[in-house]
């Protein structure tokens, strides 16, 4: 080899290296001809996006994004349809939700007779030894709206245990078989934070409220691993079909988390899960050093969830003033709040360990007491970016908005509840308190961040229904077409933001999720209609045409 030839070869090789360094890798996927609402204030609108691996690498005009086009790039035409970041539901009960999809459906039972007939039909086909569970009944659809009793269902369920819940999960009905299995009689005392509803003679009616439900839950046969997996698969399919790409799972059992981890190993997890187990077990996470947001992009932990009170529907939400229709009742603090000092001590420990704290509080007094606890914990443990969350934050005391914002508490709220409870809430709490009920606008005006979710299976998992609820506040009974407490309505853009960036912030993931921004995970959805342009009353009917998780299609498809 001559020197000149060697030099030429050397330069040729060098040139190839330089050329390669200047060619960036091509995208795996380009979605073009879309109307992209990015939820990124730096660039709110775009036409196309490019994905490499599981991340977005480019967002812009079709021409800008086409510079990422390579020989193996797959290109999809969104046909001008609206493309949004995948929805992140900040509050679900994922396994229960999946399980309830195949349980007896009682929510639409329009009368006690229909309720009893459906329970009886399900009992007939339930194998011996198994229970009839779920149901999600709603007695507010009946007139009069009386709670169901065991007498209603005993004749059609002589040997099958029945344990069907009100749709809010704060009270359930047991038949006589179940009461017997749980050993509940007229002599059984009400547990702290719960109530065994009794008839005039003092006998249990079958309705157990809040903590009293534990008396039955603890004698229920445990969910088998196969049953749990079936429920999760149902939940995954349902979520993908609705464009939900992330969920924040409240109070999962450790068995649930184990099942999610197995699915992650198999590459079968088609949603991102942030699991927040019960606060009473905070030491389990703390002792191995798990802190907020710990884990992979698909499965994370590091939060704990607790309860301060019950629900409005069950009259167990805890208020300063009595219920308007029950002047002797203020609601109930949860059993975890007996005593409050014990709750505060656990939460202080969890906070010191770096865990995120999410507290269910619905009544104004329960919310206020939760803010008191947060204030005390901040005093003891010092200031930092904690992102406390009050789940539901349903009925605010006027005095509490300012300190709610000052503490940096996130309002983790469920708009569907507003159009559901709005049917009857005023009867329960009167005309003044409803002004600060699901007060989304007032929260925003006070600088409080919103994170949207559904509380599925308490409410439908559909983001379209939730957005419809937040922007119309039109109650389900059709009686408030202009909106119930209309001054609290949000715009479509605000509702989308709370469902994407808002809920990502609530799980410390706003750098990775929540908007269509280069560098973030490629989770996005394409909708059948443009929810910014159609009449707002039609938003609930909009379908998801395609759901992408990390750039992979998990539901539907584009031509
Ligand atoms: Zn919940």
């Amino acid at each position: 080899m001559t020197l000149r030839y060697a030099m030429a070869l050397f330069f040729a090789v060098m040139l190839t290296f330089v050329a390669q360094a200047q060619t960036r890798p091509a995208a795996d996927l380009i979605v073009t001809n879309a109307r992209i609402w990015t939820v990124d204030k730096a660039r709110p609108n775009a036409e196309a996006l490019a994905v490499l691996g599981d991340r977005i690498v480019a967002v812009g005009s079709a021409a800008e994004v086409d510079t990422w086009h390579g020989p193996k790039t797959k290109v999809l035409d969104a046909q001008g349809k609206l493309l949004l970041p995948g929805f992140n539901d900040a509050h679900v009960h994922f396994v229960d939700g999946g399980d309830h999809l195949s349980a007896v459906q009682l929510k639409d039972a329009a009368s006690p007779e229909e309720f009893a007939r459906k329970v009886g039909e399900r009992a007939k086909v339930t194998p011996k030894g198994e229970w009839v569970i779920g149901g999600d009944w709603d007695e507010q659809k009946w007139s009069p709206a009386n709670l169901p009793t065991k007498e209603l269902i005993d004749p059609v369920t002589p040997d099958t245990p029945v344990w069907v819940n009100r749709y809010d999960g704060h009270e359930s009905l047991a038949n006589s078989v179940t009461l017997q299995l749980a050993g509940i009689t007229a002599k059984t005392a009400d547990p702290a934070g719960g109530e065994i509803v009794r008839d005039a003679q003092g006998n249990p009616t079958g309705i157990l409220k809040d903590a009293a439900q534990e008396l039955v839950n603890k004698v229920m046969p445990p969910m088998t691993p196969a049953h749990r997996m079936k429920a999760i698969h149902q939940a995954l399919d349902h979520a993908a079909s609705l464009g939900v790409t992330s969920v924040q799972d409240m109070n999962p059992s450790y068995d649930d988390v184990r099942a999610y981890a197995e699915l992650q190993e198999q590459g079968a997890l088609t949603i991102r899960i942030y699991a927040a187990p019960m606060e009473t077990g905070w030491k389990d996470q703390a002792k191995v050093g798990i802190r907020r947001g710990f884990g992979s992009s698909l499965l994370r932990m590091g939060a704990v969830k607790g309860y301060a009170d019950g629900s409005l529907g069950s009259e167990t939400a805890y208020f300063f003033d009595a219920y308007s229709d029950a002047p002797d009742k203020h609601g109930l603090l949860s059993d975890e709040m007996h005593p409050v000092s014990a709750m505060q001590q656990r939460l202080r420990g969890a906070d010191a360990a770096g865990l995120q704290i999410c507290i269910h509080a619905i009544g104004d007094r329960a919310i206020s007491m939760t803010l008191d606890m947060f204030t005390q914990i901040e005093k003891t443990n010092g200031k930092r970016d904690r992102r406390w969350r009050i789940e539901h934050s349903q009925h605010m005391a006027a005095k509490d908005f300012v300190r709610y914002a000052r503490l940096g508490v996130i309002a983790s709220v469920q708009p569907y509840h507003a159009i559901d409870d709005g049917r009857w809430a005023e009867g329960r709490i009167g005309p003044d308190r409803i002004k600060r009920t699901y007060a989304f606008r007032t929260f925003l005006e006070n600088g409080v961040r919103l994170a949207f979710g559904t509380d599925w299976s308490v409410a439908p998992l559909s983001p379209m229904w939730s957005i419809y609820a937040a922007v119309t506040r039109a109650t389900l009974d059709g009686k408030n077409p202009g909106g119930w407490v209309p001054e609290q309505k949000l715009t479509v853009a605000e509702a989308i933001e709370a469902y994407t960036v808002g809920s990502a912030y609530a799980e410390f993931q706003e750098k990775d999720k929540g908007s269509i921004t280069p560098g973030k995970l490629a989770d996005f959805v394409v909708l059948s209609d443009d929810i910014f342009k159609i009449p707002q009353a039609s938003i609930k009917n909009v379908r998801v045409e395609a759901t992408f998780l990390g750039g992979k299609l998990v539901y539907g498809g584009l031509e």
Side-chain angles (χ1 to χ4, degrees), residues 97-118:
D99 198 27
H100 283 207
L101 289 173
S102 53
V104 61
Q105 306 294 318
L106 300 172
K107 194 152 185 188
D108 295 323
S111 65
E113 294 71 33
E114 189 183 347
F115 170 91
R117 183 173 54 74
K118 286 186 161 174

Side-chain angles (χ1 to χ4, degrees), residues 518-537:
K520 288 196 183 185
L521 291 161
D523 301 350
F524 55 90
V525 297
V526 177
L527 301 182
S528 63
D529 299 272
D530 188 336
I531 58 176
F532 288 93
K533 293 186 178 145
I534 60 173
Q536 293 187 335

Side-chain angles (χ1 to χ4, degrees), residues 390-394 411-415 438 440 443 450-454:
I390 297 186
E391 305 301 316
H392 313 306
S393 295
Q394 225 163 280
S412 172
V413 293
Q414 299 79 33
Y438 305 108
F440 306 152
F443 275 127
L450 299 177
F452 270 6
T454 58

Side-chain angles (χ1 to χ4, degrees), residues 381-408:
N381 292 353
K383 279 197 197 308
R384 62 183 163 80
D385 179 13
R386 308 185 147 78
R387 309 193 192 180
W388 320 97
R389 300 163 50 144
I390 297 186
E391 305 301 316
H392 313 306
S393 295
Q394 225 163 280
H395 309 285
M396 288 286 292
K399 67 181 173 78
D400 276 335
F401 283 102
V402 170
R403 65 171 178 152
Y404 198 111
R406 188 185 52 71
L407 284 161

